[in-house]
Every structure is written in C-alpha cells, then in structure tokens.
Amino acid sequence: DGDSCIVPATWTKKDARCSMERLAMDIFGFHTKNLVFDRKKSCAEWWVQMRGKTPTQSKAKGIVSGIGFHWDTDEDLVDQAGVRVTPQLSTVTYLTDGAAPTVVFDKIPPLDYSDDTALYVGSIKRAWVSYPVTGKHIAFNGQLFHGASHFLARDPEAPRVTFLVNIWLNYTPIGLAPLEAHLAERLSKPPKDFAFRLPDRNSTSVRRRRGEGEASRGGGLGARGVWPKRCRARAGVQV
C-alpha cells in the first residue's frame, strides 16, 4: 500500500514507463471510450492495495484482508477546503482469489465534509457484493460508499491484492502527480503484447458470469483475458 499516483489523460501509450501505468491508462481508455471531456484536466488515479497474508503484511501483525468503508475523494481538497469531490468511476481489478469481497452501498455523501448528520441519516436501499477472482474487474459510480468486508471472506486468511483505478473527468485531484521517475524505473516495463479485448457475448466465460454473477477465472488481463462490458457512470456495479 502507498500513496496514489496519476496518469494524465494526455499521455499516450509511449509515455507509460511501467506496466502499472500502462494498465491504468488502458482501464481509463476502456471506460471513457467515445466520451467527450477535457483531457488536460482529466486523469486516472491508481494504486495497489495488499491485505492479508502477503510477504509484507501478515495476520500476525493484526492486518486482515478487509478494507475500511469509505468514499473515494480528493483527500487534499477535503483537508484544505472541507469539500468532498468524488471521481466519475471507481474500479477494482483483483489479482488474487478468495479474500474479502468488495461491498458497494447505494449511499452518496454530502458535498460538505463537515456535514456528519447526512452520513448517518436515511436508508440504504441497495448493495452489491463482488468476490475476488484473479483477473476480475469491476467498476461503479465513484460517489458510492464502499469497502471490503473481512467477515464475508470465503477464505479469511487468503491474501487480497487489488489494482485500483479512479477515473476523474474534467478534474484532477490536487496534490497528486505521476509516479516518481526513480520508482517507475524499478518496475516492470509493459510487454509488447500488453492488450485488452472485449469478450464475445456468446462466449462461455460471459455466459458463466451472467449465470453465476461472477467473472470467470483469468478474465480481464493479458492476451488470454477479456474485458467486461464498459460501465457507464451511474449507480450500480458492473463486472
């Protein structure tokens, strides 16, 4: 875990210095295809989260596979002005199986960060649960309340590793910048065959997802993987 970084929407594939920047660019491009927006003011915010029994974080240290419930926001803007601004889309790409599922609630926060009353008033009519499967990708309205419940994990001791990308259109969170050059140089370079493709609607993997409500194992990343249907910025979760 660490601070998030951005990939400016003005960057091209040649500008990606490492595989993670290229992945963030591809996720951004996938979800914004055919949309009209100001690329100079837009970006993909990305970071990696690791929970559970990983080489650097273990259950013995008191760390479990859950993620506290929260809204994705421009944290620096909250600190400076007390205003909560959220991304258009939040996305999760799972890199492991079986750990705590992502839970998304149909709850939008107030603009004023100090308005605590609005956070706890009213009912939550809908919620979505997404269990980790390696290569599975989900996207949902960036205004929604979400987290990962350790208590719902199929395997509480399983490591949980996710690649997260928030899509910001016509706005870039203040205080965020691309990954520092000396760190980008230490990461793997994008392979030549690095690509994504949409699934065939009649394929076995798509039928399985529709029937079981879960992405197929291995779908999403790499030459053999597939991307799910593009998610529009509205309430709900699509995989």
Side-chain angles (χ1 to χ4, degrees):
D1 288 45
D3 295 333
S4 59
C5 304
I6 63 168
V7 173
T10 54
W11 280 19
T12 66
K13 293 180 179 180
K14 293 181 180 180
D15 295 316
R17 301 163 297 172
C18 61
S19 295
M20 286 192 286
E21 287 184 338
R22 176 62 186 278
L23 177 56
M25 291 176 66
D26 279 13
I27 290 173
F28 180 91
F30 177 77
H31 289 293
T32 60
K33 184 178 180 181
N34 298 326
L35 297 183
V36 178
F37 57 93
D38 187 344
R39 287 191 171 273
K40 293 181 180 180
K41 297 180 180 179
S42 306
C43 70
E45 176 190 8
W46 66 271
W47 69 104
V48 176
Q49 280 184 334
M50 295 187 295
R51 293 291 188 276
K53 287 189 174 181
T54 66
T56 58
Q57 296 177 318
S58 67
K59 191 176 181 181
K61 296 179 181 180
I63 298 176
V64 296
S65 63
I67 304 293
F69 285 86
H70 62 282
W71 282 280
D72 289 339
T73 62
D74 180 343
E75 300 291 347
D76 287 318
L77 184 62
V78 167
D79 293 339
Q80 295 181 22
V83 175
R84 182 186 282 108
V85 176
T86 59
Q88 271 67 30
L89 281 180
S90 297
T91 77
V92 181
T93 302
Y94 300 99
L95 304 180
T96 53
D97 298 334
T102 303
V103 182
V104 182
F105 294 102
D106 192 8
K107 179 71 172 178
I108 296 175
L111 181 63
D112 184 353
Y113 189 78
S114 64
D115 187 6
D116 292 337
T117 302
L119 299 180
Y120 308 107
V121 174
S123 62
I124 296 177
K125 297 180 179 179
R126 293 183 295 176
W128 299 263
V129 178
S130 172
Y131 279 89
V133 176
T134 301
K136 180 181 178 182
H137 176 84
I138 68 170
F140 53 92
N141 188 327
Q143 300 179 90
L144 299 183
F145 191 58
H146 62 282
S149 174
H150 176 72
F151 300 101
L152 297 178
R154 291 172 175 167
D155 181 357
E157 296 187 355
R160 188 181 196 274
V161 183
T162 52
F163 184 77
L164 306 166
V165 177
N166 286 344
I167 295 174
W168 297 86
L169 299 182
N170 303 316
Y171 179 81
T172 295
I174 60 177
L176 294 186
L179 183 66
E180 295 180 23
H182 73 279
L183 295 176
E185 291 175 356
R186 297 171 58 184
L187 301 176
S188 63
K189 304 300 180 183
K192 294 181 179 180
D193 60 347
F194 196 86
F196 302 90
R197 68 174 185 271
L198 290 171
D200 181 343
R201 289 179 178 274
N202 297 317
S203 69
T204 301
S205 62
V206 173
R207 290 198 301 271
R208 181 172 180 267
R209 283 201 299 273
R210 288 174 178 170
E212 299 180 12
E214 188 169 279
S216 60
R217 186 178 302 274
L221 303 178
R224 297 177 57 191
V226 294
W227 272 117
K229 182 178 179 182
R230 185 161 63 94
C231 176
R232 298 183 183 278
R234 59 178 177 80
V237 177
Q238 289 195 349
V239 297

